[in-house]
PDB file of all heavy atoms in Angstrom:
ATOM      1  N   GLN A  23     123.432  82.968 103.776  1.00  0.00           N
ATOM      2  CA  GLN A  23     122.774  82.856 104.994  1.00  0.00           C
ATOM      3  C   GLN A  23     122.718  84.209 105.735  1.00  0.00           C
ATOM      4  O   GLN A  23     121.612  84.584 106.266  1.00  0.00           O
ATOM      5  CB  GLN A  23     123.527  81.878 105.980  1.00  0.00           C
ATOM      6  CG  GLN A  23     122.849  81.602 107.330  1.00  0.00           C
ATOM      7  CD  GLN A  23     123.551  80.568 108.081  1.00  0.00           C
ATOM      8  OE1 GLN A  23     124.706  80.208 107.865  1.00  0.00           O
ATOM      9  NE2 GLN A  23     122.983  80.167 109.156  1.00  0.00           N
ATOM     10  N   GLU A  27     119.265  86.788 106.788  1.00  0.00           N
ATOM     11  CA  GLU A  27     118.908  87.181 108.167  1.00  0.00           C
ATOM     12  C   GLU A  27     118.005  88.411 108.141  1.00  0.00           C
ATOM     13  O   GLU A  27     118.274  89.318 107.403  1.00  0.00           O
ATOM     14  CB  GLU A  27     120.140  87.537 109.026  1.00  0.00           C
ATOM     15  CG  GLU A  27     121.028  86.302 109.313  1.00  0.00           C
ATOM     16  CD  GLU A  27     122.269  86.649 110.051  1.00  0.00           C
ATOM     17  OE1 GLU A  27     122.404  87.788 110.587  1.00  0.00           O
ATOM     18  OE2 GLU A  27     123.185  85.779 110.058  1.00  0.00           O
ATOM     19  N   ILE A  31     112.811  96.906 111.077  1.00  0.00           N
ATOM     20  CA  ILE A  31     112.596  98.259 110.585  1.00  0.00           C
ATOM     21  C   ILE A  31     111.175  98.637 111.129  1.00  0.00           C
ATOM     22  O   ILE A  31     110.341  97.896 111.517  1.00  0.00           O
ATOM     23  CB  ILE A  31     112.536  98.410 109.050  1.00  0.00           C
ATOM     24  CG1 ILE A  31     111.439  97.620 108.396  1.00  0.00           C
ATOM     25  CG2 ILE A  31     113.908  97.976 108.501  1.00  0.00           C
ATOM     26  CD1 ILE A  31     111.227  97.795 106.905  1.00  0.00           C
ATOM     27  N   LEU A  33     108.332 101.615 109.935  1.00  0.00           N
ATOM     28  CA  LEU A  33     107.912 102.638 108.916  1.00  0.00           C
ATOM     29  C   LEU A  33     107.162 103.680 109.594  1.00  0.00           C
ATOM     30  O   LEU A  33     106.291 103.381 110.406  1.00  0.00           O
ATOM     31  CB  LEU A  33     107.210 102.026 107.757  1.00  0.00           C
ATOM     32  CG  LEU A  33     107.944 100.989 106.925  1.00  0.00           C
ATOM     33  CD1 LEU A  33     107.093 100.444 105.821  1.00  0.00           C
ATOM     34  CD2 LEU A  33     109.118 101.531 106.284  1.00  0.00           C
ATOM     35  N   ASP A  36     101.447 108.200 110.596  1.00  0.00           N
ATOM     36  CA  ASP A  36     100.925 109.400 111.169  1.00  0.00           C
ATOM     37  C   ASP A  36      99.468 109.429 111.353  1.00  0.00           C
ATOM     38  O   ASP A  36      98.862 110.322 111.821  1.00  0.00           O
ATOM     39  CB  ASP A  36     101.404 110.651 110.457  1.00  0.00           C
ATOM     40  CG  ASP A  36     100.794 110.724 109.054  1.00  0.00           C
ATOM     41  OD1 ASP A  36      99.960 109.851 108.635  1.00  0.00           O
ATOM     42  OD2 ASP A  36     101.066 111.772 108.353  1.00  0.00           O
ATOM     43  N   ASP A  38      97.309 109.662 109.068  1.00  0.00           N
ATOM     44  CA  ASP A  38      96.703 110.508 108.131  1.00  0.00           C
ATOM     45  C   ASP A  38      97.250 109.990 106.693  1.00  0.00           C
ATOM     46  O   ASP A  38      96.865 108.935 106.190  1.00  0.00           O
ATOM     47  CB  ASP A  38      96.978 111.921 108.282  1.00  0.00           C
ATOM     48  CG  ASP A  38      96.309 112.867 107.309  1.00  0.00           C
ATOM     49  OD1 ASP A  38      95.203 112.451 106.776  1.00  0.00           O
ATOM     50  OD2 ASP A  38      96.808 113.949 107.068  1.00  0.00           O
ATOM     51  N   VAL A  44     102.796  99.395 103.323  1.00  0.00           N
ATOM     52  CA  VAL A  44     103.670  99.668 102.134  1.00  0.00           C
ATOM     53  C   VAL A  44     103.989  98.414 101.331  1.00  0.00           C
ATOM     54  O   VAL A  44     104.482  97.410 101.940  1.00  0.00           O
ATOM     55  CB  VAL A  44     104.912 100.340 102.604  1.00  0.00           C
ATOM     56  CG1 VAL A  44     105.846 100.562 101.462  1.00  0.00           C
ATOM     57  CG2 VAL A  44     104.610 101.660 103.294  1.00  0.00           C
ATOM     58  N   GLU A  51     110.037  89.565  93.863  1.00  0.00           N
ATOM     59  CA  GLU A  51     109.591  89.116  95.231  1.00  0.00           C
ATOM     60  C   GLU A  51     108.990  90.302  95.879  1.00  0.00           C
ATOM     61  O   GLU A  51     109.518  91.382  95.853  1.00  0.00           O
ATOM     62  CB  GLU A  51     110.770  88.458  96.015  1.00  0.00           C
ATOM     63  CG  GLU A  51     111.349  87.259  95.338  1.00  0.00           C
ATOM     64  CD  GLU A  51     112.471  86.617  96.230  1.00  0.00           C
ATOM     65  OE1 GLU A  51     112.211  86.491  97.456  1.00  0.00           O
ATOM     66  OE2 GLU A  51     113.450  86.215  95.631  1.00  0.00           O
ATOM     67  N   CYS A  53     106.496  92.058  99.375  1.00  0.00           N
ATOM     68  CA  CYS A  53     105.930  91.841 100.774  1.00  0.00           C
ATOM     69  C   CYS A  53     105.152  93.276 100.951  1.00  0.00           C
ATOM     70  O   CYS A  53     105.268  94.234 100.345  1.00  0.00           O
ATOM     71  CB  CYS A  53     107.101  91.728 101.731  1.00  0.00           C
ATOM     72  SG  CYS A  53     108.161  93.033 102.001  1.00  0.00           S
ATOM     73  N   LYS A  56     103.587  96.775 107.343  1.00  0.00           N
ATOM     74  CA  LYS A  56     102.796  97.401 108.176  1.00  0.00           C
ATOM     75  C   LYS A  56     103.570  98.673 108.693  1.00  0.00           C
ATOM     76  O   LYS A  56     104.659  98.613 109.050  1.00  0.00           O
ATOM     77  CB  LYS A  56     102.151  96.651 109.335  1.00  0.00           C
ATOM     78  CG  LYS A  56     101.144  97.384 110.185  1.00  0.00           C
ATOM     79  CD  LYS A  56     100.450  96.338 111.074  1.00  0.00           C
ATOM     80  CE  LYS A  56      99.378  96.971 111.844  1.00  0.00           C
ATOM     81  NZ  LYS A  56      98.333  97.551 111.002  1.00  0.00           N
ATOM     82  N   VAL A  61     108.808  95.704 112.459  1.00  0.00           N
ATOM     83  CA  VAL A  61     108.621  94.437 111.698  1.00  0.00           C
ATOM     84  C   VAL A  61     110.014  93.967 111.197  1.00  0.00           C
ATOM     85  O   VAL A  61     110.973  94.719 111.014  1.00  0.00           O
ATOM     86  CB  VAL A  61     107.738  94.627 110.510  1.00  0.00           C
ATOM     87  CG1 VAL A  61     106.300  94.934 110.914  1.00  0.00           C
ATOM     88  CG2 VAL A  61     108.225  95.621 109.557  1.00  0.00           C
ATOM     89  N   ARG A  64     113.317  90.887 105.051  1.00  0.00           N
ATOM     90  CA  ARG A  64     114.588  90.514 104.405  1.00  0.00           C
ATOM     91  C   ARG A  64     115.394  91.820 104.045  1.00  0.00           C
ATOM     92  O   ARG A  64     114.760  92.865 103.778  1.00  0.00           O
ATOM     93  CB  ARG A  64     114.250  89.722 103.141  1.00  0.00           C
ATOM     94  CG  ARG A  64     113.688  88.360 103.580  1.00  0.00           C
ATOM     95  CD  ARG A  64     113.188  87.594 102.424  1.00  0.00           C
ATOM     96  NE  ARG A  64     114.314  87.347 101.373  1.00  0.00           N
ATOM     97  CZ  ARG A  64     114.049  86.823 100.182  1.00  0.00           C
ATOM     98  NH1 ARG A  64     112.834  86.599  99.789  1.00  0.00           N
ATOM     99  NH2 ARG A  64     115.037  86.619  99.358  1.00  0.00           N
ATOM    100  N   MET A  66     116.976  92.836 101.537  1.00  0.00           N
ATOM    101  CA  MET A  66     116.671  93.419 100.167  1.00  0.00           C
ATOM    102  C   MET A  66     115.503  94.492 100.271  1.00  0.00           C
ATOM    103  O   MET A  66     115.433  95.386  99.534  1.00  0.00           O
ATOM    104  CB  MET A  66     116.536  92.353  99.119  1.00  0.00           C
ATOM    105  CG  MET A  66     115.304  91.548  99.154  1.00  0.00           C
ATOM    106  SD  MET A  66     115.253  90.452  97.802  1.00  0.00           S
ATOM    107  CE  MET A  66     113.668  89.541  98.083  1.00  0.00           C
ATOM    108  N   GLU A  76     115.971 107.867 100.106  1.00  0.00           N
ATOM    109  CA  GLU A  76     117.010 108.741  99.564  1.00  0.00           C
ATOM    110  C   GLU A  76     116.653 109.375  98.228  1.00  0.00           C
ATOM    111  O   GLU A  76     116.927 110.602  98.046  1.00  0.00           O
ATOM    112  CB  GLU A  76     118.280 107.862  99.323  1.00  0.00           C
ATOM    113  CG  GLU A  76     119.507 108.738  98.931  1.00  0.00           C
ATOM    114  CD  GLU A  76     119.902 109.757  99.923  1.00  0.00           C
ATOM    115  OE1 GLU A  76     119.693 109.607 101.122  1.00  0.00           O
ATOM    116  OE2 GLU A  76     120.601 110.758  99.436  1.00  0.00           O
ATOM    117  N   GLN A  77     115.948 108.586  97.356  1.00  0.00           N
ATOM    118  CA  GLN A  77     115.616 109.302  96.097  1.00  0.00           C
ATOM    119  C   GLN A  77     114.519 110.379  96.361  1.00  0.00           C
ATOM    120  O   GLN A  77     114.586 111.426  95.658  1.00  0.00           O
ATOM    121  CB  GLN A  77     115.009 108.264  95.062  1.00  0.00           C
ATOM    122  CG  GLN A  77     115.989 107.388  94.511  1.00  0.00           C
ATOM    123  CD  GLN A  77     117.023 108.194  93.615  1.00  0.00           C
ATOM    124  OE1 GLN A  77     118.212 108.437  93.994  1.00  0.00           O
ATOM    125  NE2 GLN A  77     116.587 108.649  92.482  1.00  0.00           N
ATOM    126  N   MET A  85     113.685 119.971  93.425  1.00  0.00           N
ATOM    127  CA  MET A  85     112.442 120.769  93.134  1.00  0.00           C
ATOM    128  C   MET A  85     112.641 122.087  93.904  1.00  0.00           C
ATOM    129  O   MET A  85     112.247 123.176  93.459  1.00  0.00           O
ATOM    130  CB  MET A  85     111.251 120.066  93.601  1.00  0.00           C
ATOM    131  CG  MET A  85     110.884 118.918  92.631  1.00  0.00           C
ATOM    132  SD  MET A  85     109.323 118.155  92.997  1.00  0.00           S
ATOM    133  CE  MET A  85     109.557 117.348  94.583  1.00  0.00           C
ATOM    134  N   ARG A  86     113.279 121.995  95.184  1.00  0.00           N
ATOM    135  CA  ARG A  86     113.308 123.202  95.965  1.00  0.00           C
ATOM    136  C   ARG A  86     114.281 124.255  95.265  1.00  0.00           C
ATOM    137  O   ARG A  86     114.069 125.346  95.202  1.00  0.00           O
ATOM    138  CB  ARG A  86     113.802 122.893  97.513  1.00  0.00           C
ATOM    139  CG  ARG A  86     113.895 124.147  98.357  1.00  0.00           C
ATOM    140  CD  ARG A  86     114.217 123.820  99.774  1.00  0.00           C
ATOM    141  NE  ARG A  86     114.352 122.381 100.156  1.00  0.00           N
ATOM    142  CZ  ARG A  86     115.574 121.650 100.071  1.00  0.00           C
ATOM    143  NH1 ARG A  86     116.623 122.273  99.737  1.00  0.00           N
ATOM    144  NH2 ARG A  86     115.559 120.419 100.483  1.00  0.00           N
ATOM    145  N   HIS A  89     112.629 125.723  92.338  1.00  0.00           N
ATOM    146  CA  HIS A  89     111.696 126.763  92.650  1.00  0.00           C
ATOM    147  C   HIS A  89     112.387 128.087  93.082  1.00  0.00           C
ATOM    148  O   HIS A  89     111.865 129.157  92.725  1.00  0.00           O
ATOM    149  CB  HIS A  89     110.866 126.215  93.877  1.00  0.00           C
ATOM    150  CG  HIS A  89     109.815 127.168  94.352  1.00  0.00           C
ATOM    151  ND1 HIS A  89     108.704 127.487  93.633  1.00  0.00           N
ATOM    152  CD2 HIS A  89     109.826 127.971  95.491  1.00  0.00           C
ATOM    153  CE1 HIS A  89     108.063 128.409  94.372  1.00  0.00           C
ATOM    154  NE2 HIS A  89     108.657 128.684  95.474  1.00  0.00           N
ATOM    155  N   ARG A  96     107.801 120.434  86.796  1.00  0.00           N
ATOM    156  CA  ARG A  96     106.730 119.582  86.182  1.00  0.00           C
ATOM    157  C   ARG A  96     106.405 118.392  86.904  1.00  0.00           C
ATOM    158  O   ARG A  96     107.222 117.856  87.585  1.00  0.00           O
ATOM    159  CB  ARG A  96     107.149 119.184  84.766  1.00  0.00           C
ATOM    160  CG  ARG A  96     107.308 120.452  83.860  1.00  0.00           C
ATOM    161  CD  ARG A  96     107.644 120.019  82.483  1.00  0.00           C
ATOM    162  NE  ARG A  96     108.528 121.099  81.947  1.00  0.00           N
ATOM    163  CZ  ARG A  96     109.114 121.006  80.812  1.00  0.00           C
ATOM    164  NH1 ARG A  96     108.902 120.046  80.081  1.00  0.00           N
ATOM    165  NH2 ARG A  96     109.797 122.020  80.371  1.00  0.00           N
TER     166      ARG A  96
END
Side-chain angles (χ1 to χ4, degrees):
Q23 185 177 11
E27 291 179 14
I31 62 171
L33 299 180
D36 67 358
D38 184 30
V44 176
E51 296 185 47
C53 67
K56 186 165 183 63
V61 295
R64 291 174 57 193
M66 67 179 181
E76 181 64 24
Q77 284 299 106
M85 288 189 295
R86 188 175 355 93
H89 179 74
R96 297 180 212 176

